[in-house]
Amino acid sequence: MAQSIELAEKFQPILDEIYEREALTARLDAPTKPVNFGGADTVNVFKTSVIGLGTYSRASGYPTGQITATWEALTLSKQRGRSFTIDRMDNEETLGMAFGTLVNEFIRTEVAPEVDATRLAAYATSAGLGTTGTLSTAANVLSAIDTGAAALDNAKVPNEGRILFLASSIYRLLMGAVTRSLTNESDFDRRLQQLDDMLVVPVPQDRFYTAITLNAGATVDAGGYASNGQNINFMILHPSAVLQVKKHDNIKIFSPDVNQSSDGWLFQYRLYHDAFVYDNKTEGIYSHAVAAAS
């Protein structure tokens, strides 16, 4: 069993690196606050609100104000997992590449997209600002983004730190409108990294829905997720509005000598996580989605 622990420790940094590289919402992990677990599946979040200024009286002094402080209980609902087995001979005959390829491809093509889709759908569902419509030109896109940014301005959402998630097709529309005056430059790069001080993050459309359904994976050939809503065109989000929680993100790797079920390498992965929008900060998210068919 010691060999299994050693291998898991060896592969964990690789998995972390793949996740950080492939999951587009991983950039929101760092800004989120430390969480206080109030049980096996509950995160406690401290909420406060205060009242504005009143008129000071020289006779009676300060007007009394009210402070509201409560604990909000958020329940984690996403428990996901999967196991795979690579036969000892299959792995040896590929010079050990079969197992390494499995780990890489599983995280890159299955875990990271599902994590992104889960989080972005949660944010779209709880967004306090937004609208629907069709964006067919770069001018349409820029006008819609300006409207979204103005809505966040009016809601007093900080300008600094905003992130603009764009569906790939919408991102391409903007790229087509980019013009530059080339002097001594030999390269012409239309990629947009920032727009009006907002970090620009292109998102594949198959991760960008207003709602998704997670497949229970009850059979060996079923799993993942599917759209259960509308395509999102873009989303403007301030990191302070969201909370991404991973309570358990763990792999177990068993060598053929330890695996009691077969003569193969056994890979088991479990992820217990969720994504939330703070009740007091729903207006920190603006979502622009495709209108539902009537």
Side-chain angles (χ1 to χ4, degrees), residues 72-91:
E72 178 184 1
L74 305 175
T75 302
L76 275 67
S77 62
K78 307 299 186 295
Q79 295 200 61
R80 307 290 282 166
R82 185 61 85 182
S83 68
F84 297 99
T85 300
I86 297 293
D87 185 84
R88 182 200 296 265
M89 291 299 102
D90 288 340
N91 197 56

Side-chain angles (χ1 to χ4, degrees), residues 31 33 45-48 72 123 126-129 152 155 157-158 236-243 276-286:
K33 301 177 182 178
V45 176
F46 193 60
K47 297 169 51 179
T48 60
E72 178 184 1
Y123 302 153
S126 299
L129 302 170
L152 266 66
V157 178
I236 306 175
L237 178 153
H238 196 276
S240 65
V242 304
L243 175 66
F276 307 97
V277 177
Y278 292 111
D279 283 351
N280 292 340
K281 298 182 178 179
T282 59
E283 291 186 338
I285 303 175
Y286 182 95

Side-chain angles (χ1 to χ4, degrees), residues 154-170:
N154 291 334
K156 301 180 179 63
V157 178
N159 284 286
E160 184 178 358
R162 293 180 187 178
I163 300 176
L164 173 61
F165 291 98
L166 285 168
S168 296
S169 59
I170 304 301

